[in-house]
Structures are given as C-alpha cells and as structure tokens.
Amino acid sequence: MNYREVTTTGEYMARLETGADWREEIETLAADVDAEAGWFSALGSVEDAEIWFYDQDDKEYQSVTFDEPLEVAACVGNVSLLDGDLFAHTHAVLSRRNGQALAGHINAGTVFAGELYFRAFETPLTRERDEDTELDLWL
Amino acid sequence: MNYREVTTTGEYMARLETGADWREEIETLAADVDAEAGWFSALGSVEDAEIWFYDQDDKEYQSVTFDEPLEVAACVGNVSLLDGDLFAHTHAVLSRRNGQALAGHINAGTVFAGELYFRAFETPLTRERDEDTELDLWL
Amino acid sequence: MNYREVTTTGEYMARLETGADWREEIETLAADVDAEAGWFSALGSVEDAEIWFYDQDDKEYQSVTFDEPLEVAACVGNVSLLDGDLFAHTHAVLSRRNGQALAGHINAGTVFAGELYFRAFETPLTRERDEDTELDLWL
C-alpha cells in the first residue's frame, strides 16, 4: 500500500448549481479555490445519471445511463491532476422513488440540488497509468 | 455554483443511542456542542427507516417506510438552521440481510447502533426557500 | 448519546494495493502511522466481497459472499482497538455492472483498486461489549 500524509489548505461548503453537471461542478470548485488535490463528500439529487462500471478483465469502462430523477444518497471522491487537468474521481449511490439503490462511478449527471463538503490539499496528487489495472492512479 | 470557505471549531465522535431516532440524535449532538452548522458521516444499523424521495416535478417529498432491521452502510449530511431550528439534512444507504441496498433521504429511523463523525463549523449555514427547486437550501 | 471531542494528529491519502484485502489494508495503514483511532472514507473496486448483516434478534452476524467484480461506490468507517488489536469497522456500498447496489458491513474483499482518506485521532477509541446490542462498541 502506498500512502502519504497530506496537508489541508482549506475547507469549503458548496451548493451545486441546478442544471449543471455534477462532476464538472466539483472540478469548477477545485479550480476556483486553486486546489489541484482534495477529498470530498456530497449528497443531493440529479435529474439523470451516467454510471460507469470498470470491467476488470477487459480493462475498460462500461456505461449505464439512468434517464430519471434520482436522489444522491452518498457521493465520495477526490480531486487530482490527470493529463494536466483537474479531475474529480467521483463515485455515488443513487436511489429511486421506491428506495431502490443504484451505484458506481458517476461520470455525468444533471444536478437538481447538491450539497458538497470539500477539503483542499496542498499535497499534489497526479494520476498516472497503472500497468496492473490499466487505470490512472495516483501515488 | 455557490461556495464558501468554512472554519472548523471542533471534531466529534458519537455513538448514537439504541432506540433513539437516527436524525434527532445528530441534531442533539449539534445542540450539545453548540454547533449551528457542520458536516457528518456515519454508519451503523437501524430497526426501521422512513426514506424520502423528492419528486422533482411535483416538488414534494414522497415517503417509503421500511419496517425491518437494516444496516446503515453509509450516511452523509450536514447540519444547518431551518426556520431557526437545527436541522440535520441526512441521506443514507441501507441494506437488507441479502445485501440488497436501499437509499435516499432518511427522515427517521430507530437506531440499533450508530457511529458518527461530526465536524462543527463556526461558519453559519441557514436554509431558505429556493424558487427553482422549492427546496430549503443554504447559500 | 455518548460523544467525545477528538483531536486529529494527521491526515493521509492511501492507494490500496491490488490483490490485498480491503479491510486489512486500512488496518495496515493505521498501524504504519501509529494510529489507534481514526475515521476514513474510501472508494474503488473489489474482485469479490464478504458482506455481513447483523441479526438484531439473534444477535449474530450473517454473511453473504459475492464472488464477482464490484465497484466500491462508497466506504465509511473507523479504526479503534478491539481486544488490544487495531480494528477497522468498515461499511461499504458496492455495485454491479448494471448499476445494482449491494451494501453492508464489509468483512473482506480483494482490492482491485482503492483510494482512501484517513484521519488519525490522538483520542483513543476502545471497543467493549455492549449488553443491549451484544456488539463491541466504543464510548
């Protein structure tokens, strides 16, 4: 296991904009507060969602789209640099009206309402291709 | 997107009381430590749960009740002021014996066991009616 | 409700090792940074998972094993001492290719990729048998 101690430079509460993209809003916040690395957790609701599942054998993402209103019951992830750009690696648990839960890597989703807690780190996190998993990982 | 930097005044670990209400326990902790704003994450189990889903068209909450023991696999939310009272906006992911996950806004649930991490903010968060979503949002 | 204020001694970002056990990796990190207490959140994916559900009547855990690749959509928990050993009480929400979510207490799971944020506390947390729930709880 690789780990590093990190130093927090600021803590932020954000309200994601109705109609914007869930993941892009997080990247916009990171850019606005000049953070190239950070950790976040969030909750809210979306009007739709594109969820990715990583195929561990084929080593590629597969996508499922839910074109329906969903609660965001939990959302967790981190901000790092990927190919020089800010990237919010974002996983989420969503739910339907009857309580059924859906989950995975959320690539996109239209914000209905979103509340986010973000910790910005001084310590840089840069993703690079990992040979074993063929994922872009930091450390 | 609206955001603000926040200042943490204290961090707390709490064990929620068996038989008490999950959300009220969080509000009680906030009151006890004099926090009108904060962020939390939690895990545990409940004896039952009332889950809300916000109808984005009708602009009202719909309720589903699960009258059965459930694990609390993840719980995330924040404390703010709503009409002058402390309010813990609380989302949760629950699960059944076979691993099936249920999720949403948890309005109520009888604690079986609960472990909570809470950060109290000096920065106030006050909810007001948002015209677009007809939700009470801060910022 | 029992609660205590805690003091953070360090914050860490870790990348869990592919092929290792998800929960043991967290305990290894805690040991490496000399933390007998802490709080974490995480995301990633596993190759399989053993999920526990606590039977609130029979007062014992029941186990379900999923022998398939799963995303870790959310993971939350804490580190404490149990019978003198470091123990990571770990809950997680997992998901299948079609987005279906599974969740509960994760006892074991083979890491495919994992990203963890950990706060180490100076304040000790020691689990002891609770008579009401027959669980090992701190405070």
Side-chain angles (χ1 to χ4, degrees):
Chain A
M1 178 189 40
N2 288 304
Y3 69 89
R4 64 177 72 182
E5 189 162 5
V6 296
T7 303
T8 294
T9 55
E11 299 177 71
Y12 303 88
M13 291 286 276
R15 194 184 97 191
L16 308 185
E17 197 73 26
T18 306
D21 179 68
W22 186 276
R23 181 169 62 80
E24 284 177 9
E25 281 287 273
I26 301 171
E27 290 163 358
T28 299
L29 171 64
D32 279 4
V33 303
D34 244 334
E36 291 183 343
W39 190 265
F40 57 86
S41 95
L43 70 162
S45 51
V46 288
E47 299 173 20
D48 49 49
E50 182 193 339
I51 298 296
W52 285 5
F53 177 91
Y54 192 68
D55 188 309
Q56 298 175 12
D57 294 319
D58 294 350
K59 307 276 196 288
E60 53 187 24
Y61 280 107
Q62 296 195 330
S63 169
V64 193
T65 297
F66 297 98
D67 191 16
E68 57 183 305
L70 297 159
E71 296 289 311
V72 179
C75 174
V76 61
N78 54 75
V79 168
S80 60
L81 286 178
L82 174 62
D83 300 330
D85 293 322
L86 287 173
F87 170 65
H89 185 208
T90 310
H91 281 202
V93 187
L94 310 168
S95 67
R96 289 176 159 149
R97 183 180 304 249
N98 64 357
Q100 184 194 359
L102 305 165
H105 175 117
I106 183 166
N107 182 53
T110 308
V111 174
F112 183 76
E115 301 178 347
L116 180 89
Y117 171 67
F118 179 69
R119 295 179 72 81
F121 299 147
E122 186 180 278
T123 325
L125 291 171
T126 304
R127 289 182 183 272
E128 285 175 22
R129 184 52 53 112
D130 171 63
E131 296 204 352
D132 288 342
T133 60
E134 297 184 25
L135 287 167
D136 297 308
L137 304 177
W138 34 257
L139 288 174
Chain B
M1 180 188 39
N2 288 303
Y3 69 89
R4 63 176 74 182
E5 189 163 4
V6 295
T7 303
T8 293
T9 54
E11 299 177 70
Y12 303 88
M13 291 286 275
R15 194 183 97 191
L16 308 185
E17 196 74 26
T18 306
D21 178 68
W22 186 276
R23 181 169 60 80
E24 285 177 8
E25 281 287 273
I26 302 171
E27 291 164 356
T28 299
L29 171 64
D32 278 4
V33 302
D34 244 335
E36 291 183 344
W39 190 266
F40 57 85
S41 94
L43 70 162
S45 51
V46 288
E47 298 173 20
D48 49 49
E50 182 193 338
I51 298 296
W52 285 6
F53 176 91
Y54 192 69
D55 188 309
Q56 298 176 11
D57 293 321
D58 293 351
K59 307 277 196 289
E60 53 187 25
Y61 280 107
Q62 297 195 329
S63 169
V64 193
T65 297
F66 297 97
D67 191 16
E68 55 183 307
L70 297 159
E71 295 290 309
V72 179
C75 175
V76 60
N78 54 76
V79 168
S80 59
L81 286 178
L82 174 62
D83 300 330
D85 293 322
L86 287 174
F87 171 64
H89 185 208
T90 310
H91 281 203
V93 186
L94 309 168
S95 67
R96 289 177 159 146
R97 183 179 304 248
N98 64 357
Q100 184 194 1
L102 305 165
H105 175 117
I106 183 167
N107 182 55
T110 308
V111 175
F112 182 76
E115 300 179 348
L116 180 90
Y117 171 67
F118 179 69
R119 296 180 70 80
F121 299 146
E122 185 180 280
T123 325
L125 291 171
T126 304
R127 291 184 181 272
E128 285 176 22
R129 184 53 53 111
D130 171 63
E131 295 204 354
D132 288 343
T133 60
E134 296 184 24
L135 286 167
D136 296 309
L137 304 176
W138 34 259
L139 290 174
Chain C
M1 180 187 40
N2 288 305
Y3 69 90
R4 63 176 75 183
E5 190 162 3
V6 294
T7 303
T8 293
T9 54
E11 299 177 70
Y12 303 88
M13 291 286 277
R15 194 184 96 192
L16 309 185
E17 197 74 26
T18 305
D21 178 69
W22 186 276
R23 181 169 61 80
E24 285 177 8
E25 281 287 272
I26 302 170
E27 290 163 356
T28 299
L29 172 64
D32 278 5
V33 304
D34 245 333
E36 291 183 344
W39 190 265
F40 58 85
S41 94
L43 70 163
S45 51
V46 287
E47 299 172 21
D48 50 48
E50 182 193 338
I51 299 295
W52 286 4
F53 176 92
Y54 192 68
D55 188 309
Q56 298 175 11
D57 293 320
D58 293 350
K59 307 277 196 290
E60 54 187 24
Y61 280 107
Q62 298 197 328
S63 169
V64 193
T65 297
F66 297 97
D67 191 16
E68 56 182 308
L70 298 159
E71 296 288 311
V72 179
C75 174
V76 61
N78 55 75
V79 168
S80 60
L81 286 178
L82 174 62
D83 299 330
D85 293 322
L86 286 173
F87 171 64
H89 185 207
T90 311
H91 281 202
V93 187
L94 310 168
S95 67
R96 288 177 160 148
R97 184 180 303 248
N98 65 357
Q100 185 194 0
L102 305 165
H105 175 117
I106 183 166
N107 182 54
T110 308
V111 175
F112 183 76
E115 301 178 348
L116 180 90
Y117 170 68
F118 179 69
R119 297 179 70 80
F121 299 146
E122 185 180 280
T123 325
L125 291 171
T126 304
R127 289 183 183 272
E128 285 175 21
R129 185 52 52 113
D130 170 62
E131 296 204 352
D132 287 343
T133 60
E134 296 183 26
L135 287 167
D136 296 309
L137 304 176
W138 33 258
L139 289 174

